[in-house]
Amino acid sequence: MKTTNSLFKALFIASAFAMVLIFITCKKEKTSEPVNGTITGKVVAKNNHTPIGSAQIIAGGYSTRSDKNGNFTLEVKPGAYHLIIQTGKGHLFKTEMDITVGDGEQLALPATSTVLKQDGNMAYIAGAYDKIETIINDSLGYSAFPITVNDLDNDSLLGTFEAIFLNCGALNMFTLDSLKYTNLGNFYQNGGSIYASDFAVEFLTGDGNWRLYGTPFNNQSKGSGDHAGQFSILSTCTTPKIGGFMTDSSLCCSKSGPAGLVTNIDVLAADLVTALGKDSIDIEYDLGGWEVVSVVDAPFETILQNNNPGAASVPVAVRTVSSTSGSGMIYFTTFHNNPQSTISPDVQNVLQFFILNL
C-alpha cells in the first residue's frame, strides 16, 4: 500500500511538472510571435506645407489613406517594404522609398521623405477667366507648362504630357476643329488626363462652331459656345453636337447658370469627402452664364451635386469613372478656379484634389 502511494505521488509530481513545462513552452512560443509595427507620417505637397488628404499609402499588401491634414497611420507586420505614396493612379504624383519595420516598432517617417513628388509632365492652356496654373505652380509648388489651343494640332507634343488643364475662356480668340478634337480624344484614350472648367467643356463635347443664333446657318457669327447647331435646341441635348470627342449623351451643358452663392452642395465621392473632411460645401458663382449640366451619363459620374430646392439635383462637378481600359481621367467643374472674388478654402481644396488625382 505504501509503495502504491509512493508511485501515485511520483506520477502526480511528474504530471504536474510536465504541465508546467508545457505552460512555460506555450508561453514562450506566444511571446515570441512577431508584434505588428506601425508606419506614421504626413503627406504634403512640394511646397512643404500644404497637407494632402486622401493620398494612398501602400506597403506590400497593406494600404491606407491620409486624412484631411495629410496624416496617416499604417499597421504592418515586421519586415522590409517598398513604400508608395501616391494620388490618383500614381502616374502624375508618386513618392517611393524602401523601409524596414521592426518587431513592434513605431516608425515615424521624416517630413522630408513624405513630400509628394511630381512624376509626370503637365500642361495648361491659359483662359480669360481662370488660372488653374496658379494653384498648380504657386499653391502646390508643382510645374505646369503653357501651351496654346493651336498646339493641340501637334499630337507628338501632347504625347509628352500626362495631364492637360483647360481654363474657361481659352477659346475666346480660337476655334476648335476636327484635328484638335481627334488629338485630345487620342490623348485621353492613351492614358492622358484632362481638367476643364466651365466654358472649357467645349474642348470635350464641342463648341457648336458655327452656330445658328437667329441668322441663316451659312451667315452666322461665332456664338457663346453651346453644343447644338440650332439655338432652339441648345438646351435639349437631343441632337448631335458639333465637334468634341465626348458625346452629348454622356455630358451636355447649356450656358444658363446665374451668378450667386450656392450653399450645401453635396460631396458624393468618398475619396473627396476624405480629402475635405466634410460632405457638403458652398460655392460662389461670381459670373452669370456658367455651364449648367443637363445630361450626365457613363463614362462620367457626379462628384459634386446641387440639391437645393429647385435645383433638380444638378451636377456641378463630374469625372470619368476609373477603369482598366488604359484611358486617363477627366474632371470637369461648372465653377471657376480663379474667380474675381477670393476662392474659398473649400473650393481651393477641391481644386487641389482634382489636380492631384488626375
Side-chain angles (χ1 to χ4, degrees):
M1 187 71 178
K2 191 174 181 180
T3 303
T4 303
N5 288 338
S6 298
L7 180 61
F8 177 78
K9 281 183 179 181
L11 289 173
F12 177 78
I13 292 171
S15 298
F17 182 70
M19 290 179 66
V20 170
L21 284 177
I22 292 171
F23 175 78
I24 293 174
T25 302
C26 290
K27 190 173 182 181
K28 284 184 178 179
E29 288 178 355
K30 185 175 182 180
T31 56
S32 65
E33 289 181 358
V35 178
N36 285 355
T38 57
I39 307 167
T40 63
K42 181 174 183 176
V43 186
V44 295
K46 189 179 178 181
N47 59 16
N48 289 328
H49 61 78
T50 299
I52 297 177
S54 199
Q56 190 174 15
I57 296 87
I58 306 167
Y62 304 95
S63 67
T64 189
R65 287 188 180 273
S66 58
D67 63 19
K68 68 175 182 178
N69 297 314
N71 297 313
F72 68 88
T73 298
L74 180 61
E75 183 176 329
V76 300
K77 289 184 177 180
Y81 294 95
H82 183 69
L83 185 75
I84 299 173
I85 302 174
Q86 67 178 46
T87 53
K89 295 181 178 180
H91 69 299
L92 269 176
F93 299 96
K94 179 189 294 183
T95 295
E96 299 178 84
M97 69 194 80
D98 292 319
I99 61 170
T100 300
V101 181
D103 191 357
E105 181 181 7
Q106 295 183 352
L107 178 62
L109 299 178
T112 53
S113 68
T114 54
V115 175
L116 188 64
K117 299 177 182 178
Q118 182 175 343
D119 201 39
N121 294 325
M122 301 184 291
Y124 71 90
I125 298 180
Y129 307 107
D130 279 347
K131 290 184 178 180
I132 192 67
E133 63 272 18
T134 62
I135 299 177
I136 299 170
N137 298 336
D138 300 337
S139 299
L140 294 174
Y142 298 112
S143 299
F145 305 97
I147 61 174
T148 68
V149 173
N150 288 335
D151 284 331
L152 298 180
D153 289 337
N154 190 337
D155 191 48
S156 296
L157 175 64
L158 299 187
T160 64
F161 301 107
E162 277 71 42
I164 297 175
F165 297 84
L166 307 168
N167 285 305
C168 179
L171 291 176
N172 277 14
M173 301 299 293
F174 293 90
T175 298
L176 293 170
D177 55 47
S178 59
L179 178 59
K180 294 179 177 63
Y181 287 128
T182 297
N183 287 344
L184 271 176
N186 290 337
F187 175 77
Y188 165 64
Q189 291 297 332
N190 292 329
S193 294
I194 298 171
Y195 165 83
S197 65
D198 202 16
F199 286 12
V201 73
E202 299 168 17
F203 286 91
L204 309 178
T205 55
D207 63 354
N209 182 61
W210 300 82
R211 288 147 290 217
L212 181 62
Y213 287 94
T215 59
F217 187 78
N218 292 323
N219 184 29
Q220 54 187 299
S221 60
K222 192 174 187 298
S224 59
D226 282 290
H227 308 297
Q230 296 184 20
F231 181 78
S232 61
I233 56 173
L234 285 177
S235 62
T236 64
C237 301
T238 57
T239 60
K241 60 176 171 23
I242 299 178
F245 65 92
M246 303 297 295
T247 65
D248 278 347
S249 61
S250 62
L251 180 65
C252 191
C253 313
S254 61
K255 292 176 169 55
S256 56
L261 178 67
V262 181
T263 60
N264 300 316
I265 290 175
D266 292 333
V267 183
L268 303 182
D271 51 354
L272 182 52
V273 171
T274 299
L276 297 175
K278 58 174 64 178
D279 59 10
S280 177
I281 64 170
D282 300 339
I283 295 178
E284 178 73 36
Y285 285 87
D286 59 321
L287 296 175
W290 50 274
E291 297 278 6
V292 175
V293 178
S294 53
V295 174
V296 59
D297 204 345
F300 288 98
E301 64 176 353
T302 301
I303 51 179
L304 290 175
Q305 183 164 273
N306 177 14
N307 281 322
N308 286 286
S313 300
V314 177
V316 297
V318 301
R319 69 181 174 189
T320 50
V321 179
S322 180
S323 67
T324 57
S325 63
S327 61
M329 290 287 292
I330 296 176
Y331 279 85
F332 167 63
T333 60
T334 61
F335 51 90
H336 288 174
N337 57 58
N338 187 42
Q340 280 65 40
S341 57
T342 303
I343 293 177
S344 71
D346 282 342
V347 172
Q348 173 91 6
N349 290 333
V350 166
L351 293 170
Q352 289 175 174
F353 174 86
F354 293 166
I355 292 167
L356 295 169
N357 285 274
L358 280 175

